[in-house]
Amino acid sequence: MNQTLTLPTPSTVGSLDQYIQAVNRFPLLTQEEEQGLAIRFNRDNDLESARQLIVSHLRVVVSVARGYAGYGLPQADLIQEGNIGLMKAVKRYDPDHGVRLVSFALHWIRAEMHEYILRNWRLVKIATTKAQRKLFFNLRSMKQGLGSLKPQEASVIGQQLKVSTSEVLEMEARFNGHEVALEPATNEEDDNSFAPITYLASAADSEPSCVLEHKQLEMQQSTGLTRALASLDERSRRIIEARWLREGNTVTLHDLANEFGVSAERIRQIEQKAMAKMQVTMLSTI
C-alpha cells in the first residue's frame, strides 16, 4: 500500500519544518468520517479512502517522533518509520471494533520507531530481551527528576519492568555516559592530563606474534570491506558509504531519496539488501 499511495514526506515538501506545517493542515476526521473511509477501504480496497485516513493522522506520527528526540537519530527518519507503522495500522484497522484509529495506530507507529532505534543506536546493545527493551524505552519517563537514580528508586523501577536493579543502574549509566577522547588533545601541555589510551597499552601487544596477528586481521577486515563494497552496484555503494562510512553526520534516508528521485522507503530497502549482500561477501573472506 505504501508504494502506491502518494503521501507527503520531508524530502518532497522541502524541509522537516515545512513538512510538519503541511501535515498539520490536513483536517481531522470525525468518528463517522473515519468509520466510513475505513469501511470503503476494507470493502472496496479504495486507496483514496486509505490515503485520507493516513494523512489525517500524520500529525500523530510527528508528535510520537518528538518523544524520541533524545536518541540522537534524525527526526525525518523517525517520522518515515512511524509513517510506515501508520500505514500498517490503516491496513489492519477494523472499525467494527469500536476503537478510534488513533488508539489502534499508536502501537504500530511506536513499534516501527522502536525497531529503527534498536537497529541504529549503539547504546541499545544491552537491550537484548523484551524486558530490557521495555526498560530502554521507559527509563527516562519513570525517573523522578534529573539526578542519578537512588538504589531504592532503581529497585522500584526494576520491579515494575521485571528487570534487576543492576540492569536499571547499568542502563542509566549508559544514558548518562559521555564521550571521552581516546588520545589527549594536541594542544594539551599538562603532563598530568588524562587520556584513556595511556592506560590501554598491554605488554603482550608488543610481542611480534601479536603485532603480526593484528596486522593480518586489519588487512583481512579492510580487504573484506573493499570486496563487499565492490560487489555492490553504484547506487547501493553510494547509499552504504553515505549512511555508514561517512565521517561526521550521516546522510538521512530522505536526503538520498531526494538525490536519487525515489521514496525514502525505497532507499531503506536498497540499504538493507546491500547490507545483507555485503555480510555474505565479508564472511566469505574469513
Side-chain angles (χ1 to χ4, degrees), residues 198-217:
T198 306
Y199 304 94
L200 294 178
S202 169
D205 291 339
S206 61
E207 291 291 334
S209 59
C210 292
V211 173
L212 179 60
E213 182 180 348
H214 291 165
K215 286 186 177 295
Q216 288 176 334
L217 179 59

Side-chain angles (χ1 to χ4, degrees), residues 91-106:
K91 186 176 182 179
R92 294 167 172 81
Y93 178 59
D94 185 351
D96 293 335
H97 289 166
V99 178
R100 292 297 300 268
L101 175 58
V102 63
S103 300
F104 179 76
L106 281 173

Side-chain angles (χ1 to χ4, degrees), residues 62-108:
V62 172
S63 177
V64 174
R66 285 173 175 157
Y68 299 106
Y71 293 98
L73 296 170
Q75 279 284 290
D77 286 355
L78 278 171
I79 289 171
Q80 173 65 14
E81 297 297 322
N83 287 346
I84 293 171
L86 173 59
M87 285 185 268
K88 289 181 178 180
V90 168
K91 186 176 182 179
R92 294 167 172 81
Y93 178 59
D94 185 351
D96 293 335
H97 289 166
V99 178
R100 292 297 300 268
L101 175 58
V102 63
S103 300
F104 179 76
L106 281 173
H107 163 77
W108 294 95

Side-chain angles (χ1 to χ4, degrees), residues 150-170:
K150 296 180 180 179
Q152 183 177 1
E153 185 181 0
S155 177
V156 172
I157 292 175
Q159 291 174 7
Q160 292 176 345
L161 299 179
K162 298 181 180 180
V163 295
S164 67
T165 302
S166 62
E167 287 176 304
V168 175
L169 295 174
E170 183 177 357

Side-chain angles (χ1 to χ4, degrees), residues 42-179:
N42 291 338
R43 183 187 61 199
D44 305 325
N45 196 31
D46 181 7
L47 293 183
E48 176 56 27
S49 295
R51 191 192 71 83
Q52 291 183 47
L53 288 170
I54 292 169
V55 298
S56 67
H57 288 80
L58 290 177
R59 68 182 70 196
V60 177
V61 178
V62 172
S63 177
V64 174
R66 285 173 175 157
Y68 299 106
Y71 293 98
L73 296 170
Q75 279 284 290
D77 286 355
L78 278 171
I79 289 171
Q80 173 65 14
E81 297 297 322
N83 287 346
I84 293 171
L86 173 59
M87 285 185 268
K88 289 181 178 180
V90 168
K91 186 176 182 179
R92 294 167 172 81
Y93 178 59
D94 185 351
D96 293 335
H97 289 166
V99 178
R100 292 297 300 268
L101 175 58
V102 63
S103 300
F104 179 76
L106 281 173
H107 163 77
W108 294 95
I109 294 169
R110 291 194 179 107
E112 291 296 321
M113 290 185 184
H114 286 187
E115 286 301 315
Y116 173 72
I117 293 170
L118 290 170
R119 288 196 308 267
N120 291 279
W121 208 48
R122 62 182 179 82
L123 294 186
V124 81
K125 291 186 182 297
I126 185 178
T128 55
T129 67
K130 183 177 180 180
Q132 287 173 335
R133 291 187 181 198
K134 190 174 181 180
L135 169 63
F136 175 76
F137 287 110
N138 288 277
L139 178 57
R140 285 178 172 173
S141 61
M142 296 180 71
K143 284 183 61 176
Q144 300 295 325
L146 300 177
S148 298
L149 284 174
K150 296 180 180 179
Q152 183 177 1
E153 185 181 0
S155 177
V156 172
I157 292 175
Q159 291 174 7
Q160 292 176 345
L161 299 179
K162 298 181 180 180
V163 295
S164 67
T165 302
S166 62
E167 287 176 304
V168 175
L169 295 174
E170 183 177 357
M171 186 67 77
E172 184 197 28
R174 287 173 176 257
F175 275 128
N176 294 336
H178 58 277
E179 301 294 334

